[in-house]
Amino acid sequence: MKILVAVKRVVDYAVKIRLKPDKSGVETSNVKMSMNPFCEIALEEALRIKESGRASEVVAVSVGQAQCTDTLRTGLAMGADRAIHVEYPGTLYPLSVAKIFKALVDAERPALLLLGKQAIDDDCNQTGQMIAGLLKWPQATFASKVVLDEGNKVATVDREVDGGLETLSLDLPAVITTDLRLNQPRYATLPNIMKAKSKVIKKLTPLDLNVEIRSDLEVVQVTEPPKRQAGVILSSVDQLIDRLKNESRVI
Ligand code: AMP
């Protein structure tokens, strides 16, 4: 069984986001970039499935600028067998990425496609769902546990929903998007980082996959949220109730 994993290059989670002076988007030049944390979890899950003997190959895929190869090298150092980079220098929205993945799935024929539940840069939480829609595959989003049956025919997935946990049973092939509590991703060791340097990253363009990048969305402006006012420390519960009643008028 082959597993395809989507790994997106995003601004590192520890970096304080700055906006471009012209408010056209988030500043990414001279900023530390890393693999999206939810994609690390998706890759870790794929590697664990392979290590349990259930999968024969894990393929990491990234779509975007030339520097996505750094993200793919990290994926290879974590343990992915192969990597595919679909290079596109411009802005990408989830539907375009989903169309690229649909074309890749048609070519690679994996039994499982794993993605992060969302990318921490655009917070869209759309790509996995759109791919499942385009492929007409079953999907389980926000997975916190994934169990495959003996014959790799069915995946049982616990997913985190508002009221608690929901358990779904999906026929493979399927799309699964990963939540934070699914696993703790491994660090790439130095020997594996060195070995990953010699692994091949296959290069494609959207055109090679017959995908035209076009968007019906235009970002008009990106602005910071208004600054929060400083809080006050009150001396008693009575004072708090009084403020909530008479000042904020929320009770
Ligand atoms: P989003 O819908 O943008 O929040 O992204 C959800 C997930 O889709 C991410 O965690 C990735 O697994 C995948 N994804 C989105 N964009 C890309 C991309 N450009 N390259 C690879 N994977 C992506």
Side-chain angles (χ1 to χ4, degrees):
M1 178 175 89
K2 188 192 286 185
I3 306 177
L4 218 64
V5 187
V7 294
K8 187 174 184 186
R9 177 176 181 266
V10 297
V11 174
D12 187 87
Y13 76 95
V15 169
K16 188 170 182 323
I17 297 290
R18 281 182 297 116
L19 297 184
K20 289 184 183 162
D22 65 0
K23 297 189 176 173
S24 61
V26 168
E27 188 62 81
T28 52
S29 43
N30 297 323
V31 170
K32 183 174 181 224
M33 306 289 282
S34 302
M35 187 186 293
N36 183 47
F38 293 107
C39 301
E40 286 183 345
I41 295 170
L43 181 54
E44 175 65 35
E45 195 64 18
L47 296 173
R48 288 187 191 190
I49 293 172
K50 187 184 165 198
E51 285 160 1
S52 73
R54 293 303 185 78
S56 50
E57 193 179 32
V58 174
V59 185
V61 181
S62 196
V63 185
Q65 296 175 344
Q67 299 91 324
C68 288
T69 47
D70 298 343
T71 312
L72 288 170
R73 290 265 170 238
T74 306
L76 291 168
M78 281 174 72
D81 300 289
R82 273 197 299 133
I84 301 174
H85 177 205
V86 182
E87 189 164 353
Y88 184 75
T91 307
L92 285 162
Y93 292 102
L95 187 55
S96 303
V97 177
K99 286 179 183 168
I100 288 172
F101 271 94
K102 153 106 174 55
L104 274 176
V105 166
D106 288 344
E108 291 279 337
R109 306 241 150 248
L112 195 56
L113 175 59
L114 288 172
L115 304 96
K117 74 166 179 182
Q118 76 192 60
I120 61 164
D121 52 1
D122 57 22
D123 273 341
C124 277
N125 174 14
Q126 294 172 359
T127 311
Q129 295 87 327
M130 285 177 171
I131 299 173
L134 292 173
L135 287 167
K136 300 193 170 55
W137 280 11
Q139 61 174 305
T141 53
F142 310 153
S144 59
K145 188 174 171 196
V146 176
V147 179
L148 299 180
D149 75 332
E150 282 296 328
N152 280 349
K153 295 244 174 318
V154 177
T156 306
V157 178
D158 284 354
R159 53 189 304 266
E160 300 190 0
V161 293
D162 284 347
L165 282 183
E166 180 183 53
T167 304
L168 294 180
S169 190
L170 317 174
D171 289 338
L172 298 187
V175 175
I176 297 177
T177 77
T178 57
D179 213 330
L180 207 57
R181 273 169 285 273
L182 179 60
N183 61 46
Q184 181 73 45
R186 69 195 66 187
Y187 289 106
T189 59
L190 193 58
N192 287 346
I193 293 173
M194 300 313 286
K195 269 191 232 155
K197 287 187 198 284
S198 58
K199 289 190 186 172
V200 178
I201 297 178
K202 185 174 173 184
K203 291 261 184 192
L204 293 171
T205 64
L207 208 64
D208 295 331
L209 298 164
N210 281 326
V211 176
E212 189 200 343
I213 306 288
R214 188 177 65 78
S215 180
D216 297 327
L217 297 177
E218 184 198 349
V219 174
V220 180
Q221 201 179 61
V222 180
T223 51
E224 282 191 30
K227 292 254 177 307
R228 286 178 64 177
Q229 287 176 353
V232 282
I233 296 175
L234 303 175
S235 52
S236 69
V237 172
D238 288 342
Q239 221 182 354
L240 173 67
I241 291 172
D242 179 61
R243 289 270 187 121
L244 290 174
K245 250 190 201 158
N246 302 317
E247 225 168 80
S248 333
R249 296 179 195 281
V250 289
I251 56 171

